[in-house]
Amino acid sequence: FRSTKNKLASTDHEKATENSYEFFVQGLEIYGIGLKGSVCEVDREELFSIEKSVRVFRQEYELIDANENHFDAEGRFSVTIGRSEESKPALRVECVFLAHIHGAAPLSREYAERFSDSELRLVLIPFARQFVANITGQMGIPPAFLPFTRRISGKPITSSRKMRKENEGSKESA
C-alpha cells in the first residue's frame, strides 16, 4: 500500500506553523502497511455451545523506531470470544500491523510518538477489522467484526507507553 501526499489548500497550510503537530501530521506520507504477525485459535464445540458470549477487543499502539525522515509504528489487536472475560476464550484472534511512515526532516520523535498513540489507530483499524473478519470467516465460523468505536468492553484503549507508566507507578507505590 502506498499513498500520495495530500495537497493542502494554502489557507490550511498557513494555519499550521512549521513547529506545530498539525504541520507534522499534514506532512506525513504512508509508505507501507503490512501484517507483521498473527495468532488464531478456535474451539468450535465450545464456541457453538455458548448461549450468550462475551467479546473483548483490545488494541495497543507503539512507536517502534524513528529516524531523520521516517518512523515505524505498530498496532497490536486482539479479539476474544468466550463465556466471560475471565474464562478461556473459545475464539482468539491476534494480529500486529506495522506502518512505515515518512515525514519532513528532521522528524520530531515526540510528534511521532504522539501520532502513534492517537491518529495511528485511524490508519490501522481498517486493516485489523478486515483481517479479523476474513480470517474468522475462513475458520468455518461466522465472521467476527470489530467495532468502529474505541470501546467495546467498557475499557478505553491505552498505548503501550501509558500502560508502562501506570505499571511503573503502581510498582513505586507498592
Side-chain angles (χ1 to χ4, degrees):
F1 175 80
R2 187 177 167 104
S3 70
T4 58
K5 282 191 176 177
N6 293 335
K7 300 292 182 190
L8 300 174
S10 60
T11 55
D12 290 340
H13 193 63
E14 289 167 3
K15 289 178 189 175
T17 64
E18 280 192 43
N19 294 325
S20 73
Y21 179 70
E22 184 180 351
F23 185 82
F24 170 81
V25 171
Q26 290 173 351
L28 294 180
E29 183 175 358
I30 299 171
Y31 264 58
I33 296 175
L35 179 67
K36 186 175 176 182
S38 65
V39 175
C40 308
E41 294 179 321
V42 64
D43 178 340
R44 283 178 192 76
E45 188 175 314
E46 173 68 9
L47 184 65
F48 291 124
S49 72
I50 299 173
E51 289 183 33
K52 184 171 177 166
S53 64
V54 174
R55 181 181 307 210
V56 178
F57 174 57
R58 291 187 173 87
Q59 50 189 323
E60 295 177 12
Y61 301 91
E62 184 175 14
L63 177 67
I64 301 301
D65 188 32
N67 292 299
E68 180 71 13
N69 68 343
H70 66 273
F71 64 95
D72 294 325
E74 68 182 24
R76 288 181 290 283
F77 306 91
S78 160
V79 64
T80 59
I81 299 176
R83 294 185 186 277
S84 70
E85 278 194 52
E86 297 78 29
S87 68
K88 181 179 182 211
L91 172 70
R92 177 176 69 113
V93 177
E94 298 174 1
C95 57
V96 179
F97 283 91
L98 181 70
H100 181 75
I101 303 170
H102 282 226
L107 194 84
S108 165
R109 183 175 186 86
E110 176 187 348
Y111 286 165
E113 286 178 357
R114 182 174 166 188
F115 180 86
S116 298
D117 288 341
S118 57
E119 284 80 18
L120 183 62
R121 68 184 175 85
L122 300 173
V123 175
L124 294 183
I125 279 282
F127 289 87
R129 290 185 88 245
Q130 186 277 334
F131 179 84
V132 170
N134 187 44
I135 201 73
T136 53
Q138 292 179 17
M139 294 170 84
I141 60 173
F145 295 103
L146 299 184
F148 286 111
T149 63
R150 294 182 66 181
R151 300 179 124 172
I152 187 169
S153 63
K155 299 176 185 174
I157 61 165
T158 56
S159 70
S160 298
R161 185 170 25 273
K162 183 177 178 183
M163 289 179 4
R164 280 193 299 269
K165 285 179 184 177
E166 288 173 356
N167 287 338
E168 289 170 6
S170 64
K171 287 178 187 175
E172 291 173 4
S173 63

